[in-house]
Structure formats: C-alpha cells, structure tokens
Amino acid sequence: VFAEDLRAVMGRSFRDAEFTEIREQDPGRAAGLYQSAIPGIPGYRGQLIARNARARCLLRAGRPAEALTAYRGLSAEAEGVLDFNGFPLDLLAAYQVSQCQLALGDEPGAARTLRELHGTLSEATWGYGGSAESLLAGRVLDQLSEPRLRGQLPPELKIDFVSARRDLERARANQDIQAMVVAMLPDLAASRVETAPAPGRFVYERTVRGGRPFLFARTSW
C-alpha cells in the first residue's frame, strides 16, 4: 500500500493525534490519542505506524521508560514493515531503544544496542533506491564515535570507524545510483520504442543521466 493511500484510511482519530503532536506541540496528550486510535486503524501496518508515533511522543514527553517498552515491542514485531517515509520500522525502533536508554542514563546499554544495530545494518539488504538505511547507519556510526559511548564497548565489539564509514559511503553511492534508475523508469515505460517480439527476447536501450551511462533491456510482457 502506498503511503498516501495508507494515510487516507488511518482514520480521524489518528489525524487528531497527529494534529495534537505536530500543530499543538503536545506530545504527552498526543501519546494518549494515538493509543486510543490504534484499535480503529485497519491493517497491521497502520497499527504499527500508530504505535511508533505513540512511542515517539512518549519519549518527547519525557517518559523514556514507557517509550523504551513500546520501542522494544516494535523492534521485535515490525520486521519488514515500512513507515510513511520508507524507514524499516523494526530498525528505526531499535535505534530509538538506544535513545531511550541514553535518556535513562544507561550508556553501556545504549552502546551495545547501537553496536548490534550497526551489525544488523551491515548485513541487511537495503531497500532498492531508498535512503532510509544509509541515513540510519550514519546516525548509528556518529553516536558510536562519541567519546561517552565509544569507551563503553568491550574490545571484541570495537568498530574500525574508517572502514565502517568507507563501507557506508560505498553503499550510499550505490543507493544514489539506484534512485536514479527508479526516477527514470516512468519515462522509459511511457516512451514509444520498439519492444521485443516475444518473451525472452530483448531490445536494448542506452541512455545517459547525470554523466552516468545506463543500459535498459525491454521485453514483451
């Protein structure tokens, strides 16, 4: 379901909670409104998004212990689910667990949570053409490199930050290229060019965007 389509069916109660959080800047009240809205939201993804919004408001309202419980539940349940902005909810929730731990003064716990998330992101298959994972990975590395957290990890969990940042930049550049491909697809699909006469046969089309050459293969559907 596209984000705009999902948002349209989230319901009046969810929109009221968003208004309270964003326009009225009252995260404490918004957390309660999100909680009340959850049962009326159709579909598991929509409910998970509302639970994430509630957890966010709990943390903003200075209730990190409650937010920690909420985010731990989301990190365990939301695998493969994306929020409105294309962020994987389980990975986003895992990151927010670390922020709750920091708010509670548990710096060793936050360091270990971030280190585990770094390992997960390093091994995960990132969304094609997206940027969510690279943004999240960048935040994780930035925080782990802070002196207050860097010294909390045991020797076997230390990170080679030079290598980690080099790998991140390589992955980020790859996602940028993928994003270019995704942006080109509507124009390619709409263009009237020769297509292959039979399944399994291809007609090739070359193009250049941003100084980069691309080769697309067309075939009959």
Side-chain angles (χ1 to χ4, degrees):
V1 179
F2 291 108
E4 58 269 23
D5 296 331
L6 177 59
R7 187 181 286 278
V9 300
M10 292 291 282
R12 176 66 181 271
S13 296
F14 179 84
R15 291 191 292 274
D16 288 345
E18 279 192 314
F19 183 87
T20 302
E21 177 191 1
I22 299 170
R23 295 293 183 87
E24 297 183 348
Q25 290 293 303
D26 189 348
R29 181 165 172 262
L33 293 175
Y34 281 124
Q35 180 64 38
S36 298
I38 290 171
I41 296 174
Y44 192 49
R45 181 188 174 198
Q47 292 179 9
L48 289 172
I49 289 173
R51 286 171 56 188
N52 181 68
R54 172 180 176 269
R56 178 179 65 241
C57 287
L58 289 171
L59 184 56
R60 288 183 58 206
R63 296 155 65 182
E66 294 174 75
L68 178 61
T69 299
Y71 277 126
R72 278 181 168 155
L74 280 168
S75 67
E77 297 175 41
E79 182 177 359
V81 178
L82 303 180
D83 72 0
F84 289 138
N85 299 311
F87 273 82
L89 269 177
D90 58 331
L91 301 180
L92 184 60
Y95 175 78
Q96 290 296 88
V97 165
S98 71
Q99 304 312 292
C100 294
Q101 290 170 317
L102 286 174
L104 292 166
D106 182 11
E107 292 181 353
R112 285 183 173 271
T113 299
L114 288 167
R115 179 64 179 87
E116 182 178 343
L117 181 55
H118 169 72
T120 299
L121 284 164
S122 298
E123 298 171 2
T125 300
W126 291 8
Y128 190 90
S131 61
E133 293 89 350
S134 63
L135 288 172
L136 194 56
R139 288 186 194 175
V140 169
L141 282 177
D142 286 344
Q143 284 202 298
L144 282 173
S145 65
E146 294 176 4
R148 64 171 177 161
L149 294 183
R150 196 166 186 165
Q152 300 290 346
L153 293 174
E156 66 273 14
L157 293 179
K158 298 292 186 184
I159 293 176
D160 180 347
F161 286 98
V162 174
S163 297
R165 291 192 184 281
R166 184 173 59 243
D167 292 342
L168 173 58
E169 288 307 313
R170 186 183 301 117
R172 182 175 288 156
N174 190 44
Q175 280 197 314
D176 288 344
I177 294 172
Q178 293 171 359
M180 291 177 68
V181 172
V182 172
M184 292 160 62
L185 290 178
D187 289 342
L188 289 167
S191 64
R192 297 187 176 184
V193 299
E194 181 186 1
T195 56
R201 302 290 181 87
F202 296 92
V203 171
Y204 296 96
E205 181 177 352
R206 296 178 178 85
T207 187
V208 176
R209 293 290 176 89
R212 294 181 179 274
F214 292 91
L215 177 65
F216 290 90
R218 292 179 177 269
T219 187
S220 57
W221 188 259

